[in-house]
Amino acid sequence: MAKSPDKLDMLKFVDLGQNYPEKRAPSLRAEDFQEIADKYAPDKAAEQSARCSQCGVPYCSVHCPLHNHIPDWLRLTAEGRLREAYEMSNLTSTMPEICGRICPQDRLCEGNCVIEFSGHGAVTIGAVEKYITDTAWEEGWVEPLQPGRPKDQSVGIIGAGPAGLTAAEYLRVAGYEVHVYDRHDRAGGLLTYGIPGFKLEKHVIMRRVQRLKDGGIQIHENFEVGKDATLEELRGKHDAILIATGVYKAREIQMPGVGAPGVEEALDFLIASNRKSFGDDVPNFDNGRFNAQGKNVVVIGGGDTAMDCVRTSIRQGAKSVKCLYRRDRANMPGSQNEVRNAEEEGVEFVWLSAPRAIEGTDHVTAVRANRMRLGAPDASGRRSPEVEPDSDFTVNADLVIKALGFDAEDLPGLFDSPDLAVTRWGTLRVDHKSMMTNLDGVFAAGDIVRGASLVVWGIRDGRDVTEHMHRFLRAKKAMERVAA
Ligand SMILES: Cc1cc2nc3c(=O)[nH]c(=O)nc-3n(C[C@H](O)[C@H](O)[C@H](O)COP(=O)(O)OP(=O)(O)OC[C@H]3O[C@@H](n4cnc5c(N)ncnc54)[C@H](O)[C@@H]3O)c2cc1C
Ligand code: SF4
């Protein structure tokens, strides 16, 4: 039986805690943080799984974007048949242990558990999913990737995030030669450089990536499409292309002083922190620019990226961390669980507040803000925030992090493909029946089609697009045979 580590054992895997524990806020100790969901002891996993009523109406599966066979693997776990439970969960997901850690379960599977509806608290589906797949890795049940019978066709995938890697895995299993191009030096997309290690440990992603490489998928890191090759050049090399580049254009905020030193983009801050946890040399962290230690930090925004920034700042030992959001708690886009975690860790939320200017000439010293109130609903049905008259206030700040969300980059411009069709939001326009863009043989999946979304939806899209690409490639081969 696998030993159940105690909480500090768990923290060994937590990047920031591992590399610079002395930088935590002095009032907090390592064990005060709610890090990765505690590892379940086998009896706890079985106990939770046995709570599943096998209700026959699996709302949990319906609301899981992958339609995982949740009641089935819960039953197997309850019966102690862990290997079968793992195999069952692996049937529908390429990254079950990752989803188990970072899916917003309260909005997906667990939020739709009938036991939750009856007021008894949902079965902790995500934690069980994480437990069974982590156990599978420990026990050596995770099989190497077996490429299918070789086909003489190759596929080029731009972007090594969850959508690109999922498609890469399934296409390799189908026997294609698969090349993945990514502009970062490590694969994983936002799993690697966006989501902090206290939610998703880096080794968990890297072992998945290694399995793909060992299975013959060629991952070309430090390869930026648009710089190192154009889209047309890749189309000439491969029989089909998948664009899975995610969305990276940070939304801007217009206000006086926003260009002052000390006002930073969320993703730059998170990438620096994630790189540090890999042990990389990060001059902009070491010189203090992206290090919150000892600083008054103000994070602007109310989504999950903002939550990651406030919680990372706390772990780096910030003097104070405040989150300014223009709506109230009930109307924020981020997960309520994340807000609760952040509050417990010492983050102060300043609801109904919007920044109007940055103070400080050589470096930011404060954020000037207005109190807001919620007015009439806008086109989306959400009540629009309005400025309260004469409601100025000032918050001291040495580091301001802008976390206002992301839009699509200008891919037609970047890829030197002016014909590539986009929507009015800049995301790629696809035929939803085939997931193909307007360019023949060029498919798209993940955030670059949906806009900023979730890992589990990236995996789902990667799974779906494989089928469409496979059909396209078979038809292409058949036509080549006819023409020959
Ligand atoms: C800070 C943060 C925290 C998040 N936390 C969560 C969470 O807890 N749970 C959750 O479910 N979701 C979370 N998300 C959302 C989730 O990470 C994304 O929805 C998901 O990663 C999208 O997958 P993707 O494969 O479409 O794109 P990405 O993961 O963005 O991967 C795209 C890849 O394409 C590469 N790329 C881009 N342009 C080029 C180019 N020109 N040439 C080569 N490569 C290129 C990028 O380097 C990147 O590796 C978070 C997002 C952020 C920003
Ligand atoms: S993939 Fe996400 S939504 Fe689906 S069962 Fe796992 S944790 Fe729940």
Side-chain angles (χ1 to χ4, degrees), residues 195-213:
I195 302 174
F198 59 83
K199 282 168 62 182
L200 173 60
E201 314 94 307
K202 300 301 151 190
H203 76 92
V204 170
I205 310 150
M206 290 303 122
R207 71 185 173 193
R208 279 276 163 207
V209 170
Q210 193 55 47
R211 179 175 167 275
L212 299 182
K213 289 182 175 172

Side-chain angles (χ1 to χ4, degrees), residues 336-348:
Q336 294 293 330
N337 283 348
E338 286 284 295
V339 177
R340 258 191 309 278
N341 288 337
E343 279 179 332
E344 279 168 17
E345 293 166 6
V347 175
E348 187 187 328

Side-chain angles (χ1 to χ4, degrees), residues 224-246:
E224 181 165 351
V225 178
K227 199 169 105 221
D228 298 307
T230 62
L231 179 60
E232 271 318 292
E233 283 165 349
L234 290 189
R235 286 179 83 192
K237 260 193 186 165
H238 301 290
D239 296 282
I241 296 285
L242 172 64
I243 303 177
T245 47

Side-chain angles (χ1 to χ4, degrees), residues 102-104 158-165 181-184 186-191 194-196 199 223-226 244-248 267 270 304-305 308 406 409 411 414-415 445-448 451-456 458:
I102 49 124
C103 270
I158 310 172
L165 292 183
Y181 302 92
D182 201 287
R183 62 185 171 195
H184 273 305
R186 291 184 180 91
L190 289 170
L191 300 174
I195 302 174
K199 282 168 62 182
F223 190 111
E224 181 165 351
V225 178
T245 47
V247 289
Y248 285 91
L267 205 51
L270 292 172
D304 286 334
T305 302
D308 287 344
F406 302 94
E409 294 168 284
L411 284 199
L414 284 175
F415 285 2
D447 279 6
I448 191 57
S453 179
L454 293 174
V455 169
V456 66

Side-chain angles (χ1 to χ4, degrees), residues 267-335:
L267 205 51
D268 293 341
F269 174 72
L270 292 172
I271 290 176
S273 174
N274 276 315
R275 281 198 177 285
K276 206 65 201 165
S277 64
F278 276 110
D280 292 355
D281 197 18
V282 187
N284 273 333
F285 182 91
D286 298 335
N287 67 19
R289 179 173 168 192
F290 293 130
N291 185 351
Q293 187 183 20
K295 293 182 181 166
N296 292 310
V297 179
V298 171
V299 175
I300 302 171
D304 286 334
T305 302
M307 297 308 106
D308 287 344
C309 291
V310 293
R311 299 185 70 201
T312 298
S313 300
I314 287 275
R315 282 160 179 75
Q316 289 180 355
K319 195 162 146 199
S320 72
V321 183
K322 291 192 172 62
C323 181
L324 302 192
Y325 181 55
R326 62 198 179 126
R327 290 188 165 92
D328 58 5
R329 179 192 280 261
N331 285 289
M332 70 175 296
S335 140

